[in-house]
């Protein structure tokens, strides 16, 4: 999963001229519009015949939806190079990171090559950064250092390593160009989209208690019909097969502070979207398309279904049940324990208020609590957590989805359950191997908009390979 963004390869030729620069502007603008709208079939239709042969329609959907899972929508593009009239390179700023987009079009303005790769603003020498990590084995220490040395000062990462069902904790901080050990297992971080796993856990609990069924439609709990008489099941919201876009069309109009973008989007905005603007990208066919809107709607609908508040139910049915004493949906409860989030430039930034999107990303937690939740997954008697891990849809040969979880199929035959998260001031990643009772949690105050935020996921996947 972590390498999906490298899966779009180039098919380049050299017949274009500089005079076609405007063509590239139109091509990249159309790509961004269709990508953000989840209209992957339109992107495929814009491919040249050679590109369509190289990257068939189903694979195009898989690759682009995987890209969106990791990085979100594209907020903007900036031309950085135009080589020999046959390839334009752009700095593409996503919701959760920055990538370089290389694009080639033919004489008919069809895309004949497209590539995403890590964006490198400039070659910076980090040899001056000191590795002062101690209290951990050398392989893990070196791995951590190599992945965090480019992050700004005051960056913190908190780790939980679980082996044979038993957790151990480690923490690092970067101060004065030195990466060193710190104790932060009880410090609180925003976990971003890992919240979706907990929202799905709440759904699974209600299913096991026979209060809901996976196929039940959320529509019955609303007093109005959805646009186009669209019907949505609880399961489709939990496993991203609903066809809903990543974000509602009326979201941007509610944003007055990019540092805290979800704050103003309330139930009234959501109802207006559902009644008047709701559209699906997968009409007639069940497909995977990651959706913050879907997860937010899931949490909100669970509250309506049980005539309760989503946050209260999460506290009673999940946090309390799994003894997560320092896990919250209200950051004021974390006073004195909350690590300050950093923006992409390493400066303190606002926390996010998720409002009606709470089910998509409102949780704050510690590595101790996250490890406690992870080890609960290793108990065969826990039917609720087992249900969340059960595959519900096959995306491709490399990935399935459960309720909330992405299930990564490894070449070794093992299955890893994974989710990550990102907000304006934090990035997180969590992987567990239930069969081996092991896993890794990383919580950090690295911004989801930092160019190197992908290193958090890379590090998490790397570290689980160090566990026996």
């Amino acid at each position: 999963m972590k390498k999906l963004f490298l899966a779009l390869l180039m098919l380049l030729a050299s017949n274009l001229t500089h005079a076609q620069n405007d063509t590239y502007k139109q091509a990249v603008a159309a790509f961004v519009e269709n990508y953000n709208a989840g209209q992957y079939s339109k992107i495929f239709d814009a491919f040249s015949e050679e590109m369509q042969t190289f990257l068939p329609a189903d694979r195009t959907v898989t690759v682009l939806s995987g890209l969106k899972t990791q990085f979100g929508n594209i907020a903007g593009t900036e031309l950085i190079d135009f080589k020999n009239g046959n390839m334009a390179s752009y700095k593409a700023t996503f919701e959760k990171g920055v990538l370089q987009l290389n694009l080639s079009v033919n004489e008919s303005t069809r895309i004949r090559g497209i590539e995403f790769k890590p964006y490198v603003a400039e070659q910076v020498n980090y040899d001056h950064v000191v590795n002062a990590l101690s209290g951990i084995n050398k392989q893990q220490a070196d791995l951590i250092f190599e992945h965090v040395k480019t992050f700004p000062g005051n960056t913190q990462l908190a780790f939980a390593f679980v082996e044979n069902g038993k957790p151990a904790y480690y923490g690092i901080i970067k101060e004065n160009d030195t990466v060193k050990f710190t104790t932060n297992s009880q410090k609180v971080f925003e976990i971003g989209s890992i919240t979706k796993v907990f929202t799905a856990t709440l759904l699974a609990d209600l299913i096991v208690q026979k209060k809901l069924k996976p196929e039940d439609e959320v529509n019955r709990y609303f007093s109005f019909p959805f646009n186009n008489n669209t019907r949505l099941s609880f399961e489709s919201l939990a496993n991203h097969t609903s066809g809903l876009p990543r974000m509602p069309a009326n979201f941007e109009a509610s944003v007055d502070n990019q540092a805290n973008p979800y704050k103003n989007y309330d139930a009234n905005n959501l109802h207006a979207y559902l009644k008047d603007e709701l559209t699906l990208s997968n009409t007639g066919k069940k497909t995977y398309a990651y959706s913050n809107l879907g997860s937010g709607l899931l949490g909100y609908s669970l509250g309506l279904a049980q005539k309760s508040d989503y946050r209260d139910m999460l506290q009673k049915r999940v946090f309390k049940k799994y003894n997560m004493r320092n896990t919250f949906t209200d950051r004021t409860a974390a006073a004195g324990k909350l690590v300050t989030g950093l923006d992409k430039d390493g400066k303190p930034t606002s926390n996010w208020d998720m409002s009606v999107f709470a089910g998509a990303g409102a949780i704050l937690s510690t590595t101790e609590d996250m490890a406690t939740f992870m080890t609960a997954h290793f108990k065969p008697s826990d039917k609720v957590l087992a249900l969340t891990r059960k595959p519900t849809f096959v995306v491709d040969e490399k990935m399935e989805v459960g309720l909330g979880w992405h299930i990564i199929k490894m070449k070794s035959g093992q299955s890893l359950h994974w989710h990550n998260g990102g907000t304006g001031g934090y990035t997180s990643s969590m992987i567990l191997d239930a069969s081996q009772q092991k896993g890794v949690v990383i919580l950090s105050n690295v911004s989801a908009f930092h160019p190197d935020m992908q290193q958090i996921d890379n590090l998490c996947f790397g570290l689980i390979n160090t566990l026996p």
Side-chain angles (χ1 to χ4, degrees):
M1 189 66 185
K2 62 184 184 298
K3 294 183 179 179
L4 270 178
F5 69 93
L6 297 176
L8 289 174
L9 303 178
M10 299 297 291
L11 296 176
L12 298 178
S14 56
N15 299 323
L16 302 184
T17 66
H18 287 284
Q20 291 178 297
N21 199 6
D22 287 343
T23 300
Y24 276 81
K25 291 180 181 178
Q26 296 171 8
V28 74
F31 175 84
V32 170
E33 180 180 356
N34 289 325
Y35 170 84
N36 286 349
Q39 299 294 329
Y40 306 134
S41 61
K42 290 185 178 180
I43 293 175
F44 177 79
D45 290 342
F47 286 169
S48 66
E49 291 185 6
E50 295 83 0
M51 189 67 180
Q52 288 181 345
T53 300
F54 177 75
L55 199 69
D58 58 344
R59 185 60 181 160
T60 298
V61 171
T62 297
V63 171
L64 292 177
S65 61
L67 180 72
K68 187 169 284 191
T69 297
Q70 291 180 269
F71 294 97
N73 283 348
I74 299 174
T77 59
E78 176 185 345
L79 181 68
I80 55 177
D81 197 8
F82 195 61
K83 294 181 179 178
N84 302 320
N86 76 337
M87 184 178 76
S89 296
Y90 298 86
K91 175 184 176 183
T93 302
F94 290 74
E95 290 177 298
K96 296 167 60 179
V98 180
L99 298 177
Q100 179 174 320
L101 162 61
N102 296 328
L103 185 72
S104 176
V105 300
N106 63 19
E107 295 86 346
S108 301
T109 70
R110 291 189 171 275
I111 296 173
R112 61 178 174 181
I114 188 167
E115 176 189 33
F116 286 95
K117 65 180 186 179
Y119 174 75
V120 180
E122 58 180 314
Q123 295 297 324
V124 179
N125 187 339
Y126 289 99
D127 289 344
H128 64 284
V129 180
V130 177
N131 183 350
L133 297 178
S134 60
I136 195 171
N137 74 55
K138 187 177 187 303
Q139 181 187 12
Q140 293 172 336
D142 290 346
L143 195 63
I144 291 170
F145 178 75
E146 287 302 316
H147 283 79
V148 307
K149 63 184 181 182
T150 63
F151 292 135
N154 296 317
T155 291
Q156 285 195 52
L157 277 74
F159 302 88
F161 301 96
V162 179
E163 297 181 47
N164 297 317
K166 297 180 180 179
Y169 306 101
Y170 192 74
I172 68 103
I173 188 169
K174 185 178 181 184
E175 291 181 336
N176 300 320
D177 285 332
T178 298
V179 179
K180 59 185 180 181
F181 168 79
T182 190
T183 300
N184 56 12
S185 62
Q186 295 182 353
K187 293 291 186 179
V188 174
F189 299 76
E190 291 180 356
I191 70 169
S193 286
I194 298 181
T195 297
K196 295 176 173 66
V197 172
F198 290 90
T199 303
T201 300
L202 178 57
L203 170 62
D205 179 71
L206 294 171
I207 292 172
V208 169
Q209 297 296 324
K210 301 187 183 302
K211 295 180 180 293
L212 288 174
K213 296 179 181 178
E215 64 272 18
D216 285 348
E217 295 176 344
V218 303
N219 304 69
R220 63 185 293 187
Y221 302 106
F222 289 80
S223 61
F224 52 85
F226 291 1
N227 192 41
N228 298 322
N229 198 32
T230 301
R231 317 296 294 183
L232 299 171
S233 72
F234 283 100
E235 180 181 84
S236 72
L237 298 178
N239 68 4
H240 303 286
T241 61
S242 68
L244 287 172
R246 187 179 183 89
M247 297 296 292
N250 63 347
F251 178 76
E252 289 298 330
S254 72
V255 179
D256 63 9
N257 179 6
Q258 290 294 338
N260 192 4
Y262 291 84
K263 184 176 181 179
N264 296 331
Y265 196 91
D266 59 16
N268 291 330
N269 298 101
L270 179 62
H271 289 187
Y273 171 80
L274 295 174
K275 286 190 292 186
D276 303 325
E277 299 185 73
L278 188 156
T279 56
L280 301 183
S281 63
N282 64 348
T283 52
K285 183 180 180 181
K286 188 177 181 180
T287 57
Y288 167 88
Y290 188 84
S291 176
N292 283 326
L293 169 60
S295 296
L297 178 58
L298 174 60
Y300 181 71
S301 299
L302 290 174
L304 294 180
Q306 300 303 303
K307 298 181 180 179
S308 183
D309 178 77
Y310 160 78
R311 298 170 192 257
D312 290 341
M313 288 196 299
L314 203 60
Q315 182 66 45
K316 296 173 183 177
R317 290 181 171 269
V318 182
F319 300 162
K320 185 176 180 180
K321 177 180 179 180
Y322 295 110
N323 199 29
M324 301 177 72
R325 299 176 180 176
N326 290 300
T327 300
F328 317 100
T329 54
D330 177 3
R331 69 172 178 273
T332 61
K337 299 179 180 179
L338 182 63
V339 173
T340 300
L342 304 178
D343 67 14
K344 63 183 179 63
D345 298 315
K347 298 177 182 178
T349 191
S350 172
N351 291 96
W352 279 8
D353 298 295
M354 297 300 294
S355 189
V356 77
F357 272 86
I363 294 177
L364 306 94
S365 190
T366 67
T367 49
E368 284 192 0
D369 275 9
M370 295 295 285
T372 298
F373 178 69
M374 179 184 289
T375 57
H377 277 268
F378 305 148
K379 298 176 181 178
S381 60
D382 196 313
K383 296 180 180 180
V384 171
L385 297 183
L387 181 59
T388 67
R389 299 195 308 276
K390 183 179 179 180
T392 58
F393 184 74
V394 177
V395 179
D396 57 26
E397 69 278 6
K398 294 182 180 179
M399 189 177 82
E400 299 173 329
V401 284
L403 297 180
W405 290 107
H406 296 89
I407 306 169
I408 312 302
K409 312 296 288 185
M410 307 300 289
K411 291 181 179 180
S412 62
Q414 70 184 133
S415 294
L416 299 178
H417 288 75
W418 165 80
H419 213 295
N420 66 1
T423 64
Y426 304 83
T427 301
S428 58
S429 190
M430 179 179 184
I431 307 173
L432 65 88
D433 182 341
S435 64
Q436 299 296 316
Q437 296 194 3
K438 66 180 181 180
V440 176
V441 178
I442 303 177
L443 305 182
S444 80
N445 64 342
V446 174
S447 173
F449 303 112
H450 190 281
D452 292 335
M453 57 76 64
Q454 182 63 27
Q455 296 287 18
I456 301 299
D457 265 343
N458 293 343
L459 178 57
C460 201
F461 277 89
L463 287 171
I464 197 170
N465 290 328
T466 69
L467 303 181

